[in-house]
Amino acid sequence: MATRPYVEIDLSEETRLAQLRRIEELKGRIGVMLSQKSRSHGKYEYQGYHQTGYPYSNPNLGSFGIARSSVKSKESQVMGQTLSATQLPDQEMSVTESDAATDPWYGSDEMQFSDEDSETHSLNQSGPDHTLDTSDQTSQSQRISSTPSKASGLSSNTSADPPDIKLEIDEHSISHTSNDTNSPVSSLSSQLSPVKSLTPAVLQPSVDLVKPKRRRRRSTKMTKVLFSELRPRTSIPPNIPHEELARQSVEAALSSRLNPFALHHDEYKLLHNHMCELHISAYINIRNRILRLWVRNPLVSVTPEEAAGCAYSSRWLGLAEVAYEWLLRRGYINFGCVEVPDASNIEGKRYKVKRIRKTIAVVGAGMAGLGCARQLEGLFEHYRERWASVGEEPPRVIVLEGRARIGGRIYSHPLRNQDSRGIPKHSRCVAEMGAHIITGFDHGNPLNMIIRGQLALHYYPLKDNSSLYDIDGEVVDRQRDKLVEKLFNDILDRASVYRHHTTMPTTAEGNRELIEAGRDPSGEPGPIIGLTGKGIGSTAHRSSKENDAPIEQVPGGLDKLTGKAHLVAGSRTKTPAAIAAAAMGWRLTSNQVAHRHDLDLDKVVASLQHPTLGAVMDEGVRQYQALLALSAQDMRLLNWHFANLEYANAANVGKLSLGGWDQDIGNEFEGEHAQVIGGYQQVPRGILEYPSQLDLRTRKAVTRITYDPRQGVNTTAEIVCEDGDVIEAHQVVLTTPLGVLKDRSIVFKPELPSWKLDSIDRLGFGTLNKVVLVYDEPFWDVDQDMIGLLRDASVENSLDQKDYTRNRGRFYLFWNCIKTSGRPVLIGLMAGDAAHHAEGLSDNQIVSEVTQQLATMFKQITIPKPTETIVTRWGQDRFARGTYSYVGVRAQSGDYDAMAKPVGNLHFAGEATCGTHPATVHGAYISGLRAASEVIDDLLGPIIIPNPLVPTAIINKSEKTSNSPHKSKPSAPLNPSPPLTAGETPVTKQVRLEAFETEILKAIFAKLGPRPDRPGRVGANPFLLFSKDKWADCKAKCDEARRAALGTPLAKASRNEIRSALGQLWREASAEVKQPYLEQTVSNRAVNHDSAASFQDRLAEWDAEAMSTRRAYVHEHPGVLSREEEKEMWKALGVFGGVDRRAKKMSGYADNSGSEIDI
């Protein structure tokens, strides 16, 4: 059979040009400017593809610039080269290596500073009537850059004219103090200065970037895509081995928060009644390959043609269609700042009457709201023809925001002094008032695609290189700090014993070996997995190593950068406390004789109606004090870690549920933590503006929402705003913070159901506040990203744990933001009880106290007064009422899911609705994708499963493998549904037809047994027979060598290592050792030859008998199939006019006679 040629996807050159123009436009809007000159590079790796880049820039942009399709035309090749060239990461930084050597901000020398008067300014907090001119005051002088080299084709300069935009300042969460009433007011800008491109004329943006307008859609003439008409294999690279393609695809799934070897529980729910166990591996292979396309190039949407091209055979096109639809609707591909190409065949007909258009209202312009709105815009564009076919326009999406800015709890406040140093010249000098850190880019963080893959934002990777200062200003000994940290983690680990156990959702696994090898399954399908009841516990395709007892995952302490708990491999069996303390390096008290003494935490748990994490951990500290001679400094160190835990949860540990406080543990993303240079708010701004500006309406504080609690397409809702405006919508997505819902500041008609209100009340919503200190010059070590401060108890040098609760989170940590803000900035954190206490103090009190603490820490120098100070009060912000959610003492395990559940046409999003990633920016964004998926399902209905999903017979494997010589009696047929009636839906019809087909096949198998299999080549290779015998012994030796080399007791050798070792053993084996395997091979070849000779005769005989049995069964059950349905069945089987013209197998009418591959 001739090899099918590699078919390229037809991507129009006009679309590519438009993509490049919009990329350049976006970089102008969000302030992204490429370099003037090249410099030395560091080496980075992303998804297995090595690129080079400066640490402050996007180190992985080069890999994203590679066109996903190999375009063959000359013009296309030039375009591809241009796209790659524009995205090389040779981006200039404003500080070179030589600059770093001479710049005092980058040195470690101690310097004396004069005590200058503080120049600070104030933001009016009088309410929404205060309006300021927010033109970018840093853009009055041009910043010109030229094309640096052949490797960097795009660069830009900042226009001297500021945008003519006014914004209202009504941020009650932030206060500024000023000693200079005449100082200029710092601006809030919703848009950076315009950018003039210096790219070649062919790539020049043709739009006005000062006031970007919504693009008017051009009519296109494209044919609606039908998967059944598409060609497979067009997205399979011809020059890459299957194993390498599989490795990249598996990594892509891991980078998308999906198990690369199992169905997502939502996929299982969708497919379990349509798919057999054999098809799972084929589906997962296709799904992973589609994800690979997206992960490798998130600048371009994955098209249906590309998705179909991920299938090896046309038989799997139904699986490719479902995988593509599911990934698209659920927000795993084509999300973020990417334009979805119009797949419509509608040419924009002119209608005499105005076409119907629904409205979707999104309340809140934070990450959840903007992410949801952007996703809906893309989905509506993708499904444009679905609405056009019924005479409607795709729904419009409007975003209502109560503030005068976007971002919600992301707020990058511009500093008054914009004379930046050490950051890219286009970046603004800002301080983060809210969200601050990207907690790992790897293994599924969607912000990875947006920040690094689409917006190309500069970011700074954080290092855990902090120093801890004690109350006397001395740096704490690192060894002592590590010793106390081990004790804290041990106490936290013992408290985790009382954690609620969660139930894993039902799903199904594929064949791991096939998926890792990149091969689709062969052989006859089995029963539908929904009929077998097999779930994730099935071990049908698990290797022996997977059937071993799994290694337990236990808490492994806290991440210092985020305060979040993480899991490590270990055992839940706890070592007695005395032995554990001695193993850590602690010396037991002299009066402690019983070295097996353990902690008894059960009593305190039993004594509380709602046990808290704080109560149990405090008891653990007290009991450890009986074993160890803890000093006052040890107590301060312990409570520093308590404060870090309170920072992660935005609440005192005494308010956290003992059983559920870390219910999201195990979902952490991996990789380095980072901060966005020039402000985190660039991310929501990019989502707002690209590929076209969303319909955003600011200063629209919502006071009442009238919704329809019934589910349906024609529901309506009404939103009343504070200014009197009324917005009518068909679907509403509410993304307000949990604190606002708790405050009951929005009236719902009808009232929200009790199950929703109960979850709102049970979950907690905490507060974290900051104090921002800006200086002219740094007096701290600028190479340290964090500076820790131990706080004393309310009673000096107390050994009583309760004396530390109130004050331990007060300025316990300072972020050094000089490398991300471009100015000498320290941000002090106030966590736990200290965060609430700070909201009742004046700015002068807080700044005076923090300055005094810094003077104690750096007593060798004179601490200058800050030139600018900002204090946040998020608890007083009426649009937030706090910072992020936590699991309160009365919370139940399903409360986050209940928060996410829609009520009629009212949907909910926000970090408090994302149980897997609460209290995070990425969790808020993921929740927005989920809400968009719910809306599209409500409007268009669920994903339609092709019928048949896989055109092949459904063979009952359990009967096929039976060794019983007796034919089992046919089981009683199901009660099939009557033929399609007026009330029958396509889904119920499909279920009815599949149920009847199953009964037919049961009758066939009961009478004839399983269909003859094509004889395999059993034992035709002596080395394979040798490998099978020696695999276990060789694996054990390879594992042992691997552990010895790495010094890790749990290390295991890879399959390739084992195969290499077996090859070496075979080559070195004597003739006597090889002889039995050679003889067995000769015998097996003879058997194979005899089986192949008789196979065709046996196959034809079985097929003829199967057809007769089918005819008899249909005749015995009249009325189940309509005349048209029966005609369609015989047609699918190759029977025309009563004559069987089909030469291939006929075991089921779902079979695909045209397939060239034996499945």
Side-chain angles (χ1 to χ4, degrees):
M1 183 180 66
T3 303
R4 179 175 292 144
Y6 183 78
V7 181
E8 302 302 336
I9 305 302
D10 182 18
L11 296 176
S12 69
E13 301 306 321
E14 185 177 3
T15 300
R16 282 291 180 190
L17 281 171
Q19 286 284 351
L20 291 174
R21 292 192 188 103
R22 292 179 187 118
I23 291 171
E24 179 69 357
E25 172 192 342
L26 174 64
K27 290 180 179 179
R29 291 181 183 176
I30 65 174
V32 173
M33 182 175 64
L34 298 182
S35 62
Q36 296 176 349
K37 58 184 179 180
S38 61
R39 52 164 294 127
S40 60
H41 298 78
K43 191 173 184 181
Y44 294 85
E45 180 179 358
Y46 176 72
Q47 306 297 349
Y49 307 100
H50 294 272
Q51 296 294 333
T52 55
Y54 190 72
Y56 286 2
S57 69
N58 174 4
N60 311 298
L61 190 56
S63 65
F64 290 127
I66 301 172
R68 183 159 50 237
S69 301
S70 301
V71 186
K72 297 300 185 183
S73 67
K74 181 177 180 181
E75 294 81 9
S76 298
Q77 289 177 347
V78 172
M79 287 299 299
Q81 292 168 3
T82 304
L83 180 61
S84 297
T86 63
Q87 294 165 9
L88 287 176
D90 297 321
Q91 304 185 11
E92 181 215 11
M93 309 319 305
S94 59
V95 178
T96 64
E97 291 175 350
S98 59
D99 295 331
T102 58
D103 193 335
W105 286 12
Y106 284 79
S108 57
D109 297 337
E110 298 177 0
M111 295 174 287
Q112 299 288 333
F113 300 95
S114 60
D115 187 4
E116 299 179 358
D117 292 336
S118 171
E119 285 187 87
T120 56
H121 59 280
S122 62
L123 289 182
N124 190 305
Q125 296 192 53
S126 59
D129 296 329
H130 183 61
T131 304
L132 294 178
D133 188 325
T134 61
S135 59
D136 186 351
Q137 299 182 20
T138 69
S139 304
Q140 300 303 317
S141 61
Q142 281 192 330
R143 294 175 177 176
I144 303 175
S145 72
S146 59
T147 303
S149 65
K150 294 179 181 179
S152 185
L154 292 181
S155 58
S156 49
N157 70 300
T158 306
S159 170
D161 299 325
D164 183 18
I165 298 176
K166 289 182 180 291
L167 286 181
E168 169 190 277
I169 307 299
D170 61 338
E171 296 306 312
H172 297 289
S173 63
I174 300 171
S175 67
H176 287 234
T177 57
S178 175
N179 296 332
D180 182 6
T181 58
N182 297 319
S183 62
V185 178
S186 180
S187 66
L188 286 176
S189 177
S190 66
Q191 176 181 334
L192 291 182
S193 300
V195 170
K196 180 180 179 181
S197 174
L198 299 181
T199 55
V202 69
L203 300 179
Q204 286 284 359
S206 59
V207 296
D208 180 8
L209 300 182
V210 176
K211 293 183 178 180
K213 300 178 180 179
R214 295 179 60 84
R215 290 180 297 101
R216 183 171 297 177
R217 167 159 299 282
R218 296 177 301 169
S219 62
T220 57
K221 207 173 181 182
M222 300 177 65
T223 304
K224 181 180 180 297
V225 175
L226 295 176
F227 265 78
S228 59
E229 300 174 358
L230 300 179
R231 299 189 64 181
R233 302 184 66 89
T234 56
S235 297
I236 306 297
N239 56 348
I240 183 173
H242 290 303
E243 293 79 5
E244 176 60 21
L245 176 64
R247 184 192 67 80
Q248 295 178 11
S249 301
V250 166
E251 289 185 356
L254 291 172
S255 299
S256 304
R257 308 183 305 283
L258 290 174
N259 185 337
F261 306 108
L263 299 176
H264 186 276
H265 61 85
D266 188 59
E267 288 176 301
Y268 178 84
K269 182 179 178 181
L270 178 69
L271 294 169
H272 74 284
N273 284 326
H274 307 280
M275 181 185 291
C276 73
E277 194 170 0
L278 189 72
H279 298 154
I280 296 174
S281 300
Y283 173 87
I284 291 175
N285 272 334
I286 294 170
R287 183 199 68 186
N288 293 350
R289 292 179 201 132
I290 296 173
L291 289 168
R292 171 185 171 272
L293 297 180
W294 170 247
V295 167
R296 287 175 63 86
N297 187 3
L299 286 171
V300 183
S301 296
V302 180
T303 64
E305 292 85 356
E306 290 174 308
C310 290
Y312 275 127
S313 166
S314 59
R315 178 166 291 178
W316 305 125
L317 286 177
L319 298 180
E321 180 178 1
V322 174
Y324 179 72
E325 285 286 305
W326 187 83
L327 293 171
L328 178 69
R329 288 203 188 190
R330 300 303 180 258
Y332 289 99
I333 61 173
N334 298 1
F335 63 82
C337 305
V338 61
E339 184 169 17
V340 177
D342 180 17
S344 172
N345 62 347
I346 306 300
E347 295 187 7
K349 300 177 181 178
R350 298 181 178 273
Y351 289 84
K352 294 182 180 180
V353 296
K354 188 174 181 180
R355 302 179 72 181
I356 300 172
R357 192 177 192 187
K358 294 182 172 64
T359 298
I360 312 300
V362 179
V363 179
M367 281 296 288
L370 292 174
C372 178
R374 174 60 63 205
Q375 183 71 0
L376 285 173
E377 288 270 351
L379 289 172
F380 293 159
E381 192 63 36
H382 179 83
Y383 293 108
R384 167 177 286 268
E385 61 85 20
R386 297 278 291 271
W387 278 279
S389 64
V390 293
E392 295 185 15
E393 287 285 346
R396 68 168 59 86
V397 182
I398 61 174
V399 182
L400 306 176
E401 170 56 50
R403 296 182 175 92
R405 62 167 179 85
I406 64 169
R409 285 163 280 172
I410 298 178
Y411 180 31
S412 307
H413 190 279
L415 302 179
R416 186 175 56 82
N417 188 342
Q418 289 289 321
D419 183 15
S420 65
R421 297 170 66 183
I423 62 174
K425 290 183 178 179
H426 68 278
S427 300
R428 308 179 82 194
C429 300
V430 299
E432 301 293 358
M433 305 293 98
H436 199 143
I437 301 174
I438 304 163
T439 55
F441 282 116
D442 300 341
H443 280 194
N445 192 339
L447 299 184
N448 176 42
M449 296 295 178
I450 298 174
I451 293 175
R452 301 203 294 188
Q454 295 173 346
L455 301 183
L457 297 178
H458 296 272
Y459 65 93
Y460 174 72
L462 297 169
K463 302 178 291 293
D464 182 9
N465 58 355
S466 60
S467 293
L468 286 179
Y469 286 82
D470 206 345
I471 56 176
D472 58 359
E474 298 296 325
V475 177
V476 177
D477 178 69
R478 287 189 179 273
Q479 295 303 317
R480 195 66 182 180
D481 175 28
K482 291 180 179 179
L483 184 62
V484 176
E485 184 179 7
K486 290 179 182 178
L487 181 63
F488 173 84
N489 289 337
D490 180 85
I491 297 171
L492 184 64
D493 188 18
R494 294 175 189 277
S496 70
V497 172
Y498 304 97
R499 183 199 296 143
H500 299 318
H501 294 286
T502 57
T503 303
M504 294 295 294
T506 304
T507 182
E509 291 182 340
N511 187 318
R512 182 181 290 263
E513 293 183 359
L514 285 178
I515 296 172
E516 289 179 337
R519 294 186 291 111
D520 286 343
S522 60
E524 301 294 353
I528 299 298
I529 56 178
L531 300 177
T532 63
K534 289 185 177 181
I536 195 64
S538 172
T539 58
H541 289 310
R542 293 185 183 178
S543 62
S544 58
K545 66 179 181 180
E546 293 172 290
N547 286 325
D548 296 337
I551 299 173
E552 290 185 291
Q553 299 290 311
V554 298
L558 300 182
D559 184 338
K560 267 192 176 181
L561 291 171
T562 63
K564 288 281 189 180
H566 57 271
L567 292 175
V568 297
S571 173
R572 293 192 177 276
T573 303
K574 305 304 177 190
T575 305
I579 298 176
M584 295 177 210
W586 288 92
R587 180 177 298 176
L588 301 178
T589 55
S590 57
N591 61 351
Q592 177 58 47
V593 180
H595 289 283
R596 297 193 63 82
H597 183 83
D598 203 358
L599 303 187
D600 181 11
L601 303 178
D602 292 340
K603 292 181 180 178
V604 65
V605 174
S607 66
L608 299 173
Q609 181 180 3
H610 300 291
T612 67
L613 177 66
V616 174
M617 291 191 69
D618 286 348
E619 181 63 23
V621 171
R622 284 190 287 271
Q623 292 189 30
Y624 256 123
Q625 285 179 312
L627 298 174
L628 312 173
L630 297 179
S631 65
Q633 185 189 59
D634 294 334
M635 294 297 294
R636 291 192 293 272
L637 280 167
L638 270 174
N639 280 277
W640 188 92
H641 292 287
F642 271 88
N644 207 32
L645 181 59
E646 292 174 339
Y647 154 58
N649 292 276
N652 185 295
V653 291
K655 297 180 180 179
L656 303 180
S657 166
L658 176 62
W661 71 275
D662 59 346
Q663 53 88 36
D664 61 322
I665 195 170
N667 295 316
E668 304 84 17
F669 296 130
E670 298 181 5
E672 59 195 7
H673 299 327
Q675 295 179 12
V676 178
I677 297 174
Y680 210 160
Q681 205 167 4
Q682 294 173 92
V683 178
R685 186 180 299 132
I687 295 174
L688 169 70
E689 296 191 355
Y690 187 76
S692 61
Q693 188 168 330
L694 295 171
D695 185 355
L696 171 68
R697 306 178 188 184
T698 57
R699 305 185 188 91
K700 295 295 180 184
V702 173
T703 59
R704 187 175 75 243
I705 298 177
T706 303
Y707 66 97
D708 192 335
R710 301 169 299 172
Q711 290 186 341
V713 178
N714 298 318
T715 58
T716 59
E718 183 182 85
I719 302 172
V720 178
C721 299
E722 195 174 61
D723 60 1
D725 279 1
V726 178
I727 292 92
E728 293 184 353
H730 295 81
Q731 301 276 330
V732 177
V733 180
L734 183 65
T735 70
T736 54
L738 176 61
V740 175
L741 295 177
K742 283 179 169 290
D743 195 46
R744 303 295 200 266
S745 57
I746 299 178
V747 177
F748 295 93
K749 291 188 176 180
E751 188 178 9
L752 293 177
S754 59
W755 56 265
K756 176 74 75 172
L757 293 174
D758 290 345
S759 294
I760 291 173
D761 293 336
R762 285 192 296 260
L763 287 176
F765 197 68
T767 300
L768 174 76
N769 278 313
K770 301 179 179 181
V771 54
V772 179
L773 308 168
V774 187
Y775 299 91
D776 284 332
E777 297 292 339
F779 51 84
W780 58 90
D781 184 352
V782 296
D783 291 324
Q784 286 192 334
D785 295 331
M786 300 183 300
I787 306 171
L789 174 63
L790 306 186
R791 301 312 308 265
D792 203 359
S794 56
V795 177
E796 187 176 359
N797 290 326
S798 173
L799 297 179
D800 192 342
Q801 175 67 7
K802 69 176 184 296
D803 292 336
Y804 289 87
T805 302
R806 179 178 175 82
N807 201 46
R808 62 190 173 204
R810 198 178 192 83
F811 320 126
Y812 87 100
L813 186 69
F814 292 89
W815 287 104
N816 167 26
C817 299
I818 191 171
K819 295 180 180 179
T820 57
S821 68
R823 299 292 304 163
V825 174
L826 289 177
I827 296 182
L829 301 183
M830 293 172 282
D833 290 348
H836 297 277
H837 183 236
E839 299 214 355
L841 299 177
S842 68
D843 291 356
N844 288 335
Q845 288 176 296
I846 294 174
V847 173
S848 176
E849 181 181 347
V850 73
T851 302
Q852 183 180 357
Q853 294 297 328
L854 290 172
T856 303
M857 296 164 61
F858 301 97
K859 54 188 175 184
Q860 70 277 13
I861 61 174
T862 301
I863 303 297
K865 291 183 179 179
T867 59
E868 183 178 354
T869 62
I870 310 171
V871 177
T872 68
R873 293 180 177 84
W874 284 103
Q876 299 177 22
D877 183 347
R878 71 188 184 107
F879 296 115
R881 298 302 183 195
T883 48
Y884 40 89
S885 64
Y886 63 88
V887 183
V889 294
R890 297 190 302 110
Q892 299 176 3
S893 58
D895 280 342
Y896 275 105
D897 293 337
M899 288 293 302
K901 188 176 180 181
V903 182
N905 61 349
L906 178 60
H907 304 263
F908 295 84
E911 56 83 17
T913 70
C914 184
T916 55
H917 302 88
T920 60
V921 174
H922 54 260
Y925 182 76
I926 291 171
S927 75
L929 298 180
R930 173 197 41 80
S933 176
E934 294 170 355
V935 171
I936 201 71
D937 283 352
D938 279 358
L939 296 177
L940 295 182
I943 296 172
I944 299 176
I945 308 298
N947 183 23
L949 178 59
V950 177
T952 186
I954 307 175
I955 303 297
N956 192 321
K957 272 192 174 181
S958 62
E959 296 183 18
K960 174 181 175 180
T961 57
S962 174
N963 295 323
S964 172
H966 303 289
K967 306 294 183 183
S968 58
K969 296 181 179 179
S971 57
L974 299 174
N975 267 333
S977 302
L980 181 63
T981 62
E984 188 178 34
T985 66
V987 174
T988 58
K989 174 184 175 181
Q990 180 176 341
V991 172
R992 173 173 58 83
L993 293 178
E994 289 182 355
F996 187 64
E997 175 66 12
T998 300
E999 293 305 313
I1000 294 175
L1001 295 176
K1002 284 182 179 181
I1004 293 174
F1005 302 145
K1007 180 178 179 181
L1008 304 178
R1011 188 173 188 269
D1013 279 343
R1014 184 183 300 277
R1017 297 175 56 83
V1018 179
N1021 188 317
F1023 171 69
L1024 295 181
L1025 296 174
F1026 174 83
S1027 299
K1028 184 176 180 181
D1029 284 350
K1030 304 297 182 182
W1031 179 272
D1033 294 338
C1034 186
K1035 179 180 183 300
K1037 293 179 180 179
C1038 290
D1039 289 345
E1040 184 178 352
R1042 187 73 171 171
R1043 296 185 188 108
L1046 299 179
T1048 304
L1050 301 177
K1052 292 186 178 181
S1054 66
R1055 297 182 65 85
N1056 288 334
E1057 290 176 314
I1058 301 172
R1059 291 191 183 104
S1060 298
L1062 284 169
Q1064 184 70 18
L1065 289 176
W1066 176 256
R1067 289 190 295 271
E1068 296 175 356
S1070 63
E1072 291 78 10
V1073 173
K1074 293 182 179 180
Q1075 186 61 31
Y1077 300 103
L1078 296 173
E1079 293 175 353
Q1080 183 65 38
T1081 299
V1082 174
S1083 175
N1084 289 344
R1085 286 173 179 170
V1087 173
N1088 292 339
H1089 181 270
D1090 294 339
S1091 298
S1094 62
F1095 170 70
Q1096 292 298 333
D1097 294 337
R1098 291 184 286 112
L1099 189 65
E1101 181 182 359
W1102 194 96
D1103 285 344
E1105 290 292 329
M1107 185 62 72
S1108 299
T1109 305
R1110 175 180 290 274
R1111 284 195 179 96
Y1113 192 91
V1114 173
H1115 181 71
E1116 294 168 1
H1117 298 82
V1120 176
L1121 300 179
S1122 67
R1123 183 181 298 275
E1124 289 298 321
E1125 289 169 351
E1126 183 175 352
K1127 182 179 178 180
E1128 194 67 28
M1129 178 190 72
W1130 295 122
K1131 182 179 178 181
L1133 291 167
V1135 180
F1136 300 91
V1139 180
D1140 184 1
R1141 300 179 183 177
R1142 188 177 181 209
K1144 293 192 177 183
K1145 57 187 179 182
M1146 309 171 187
S1147 57
Y1149 72 84
D1151 214 348
N1152 183 354
S1153 59
S1155 175
E1156 299 172 341
I1157 299 177
D1158 181 26
I1159 304 301

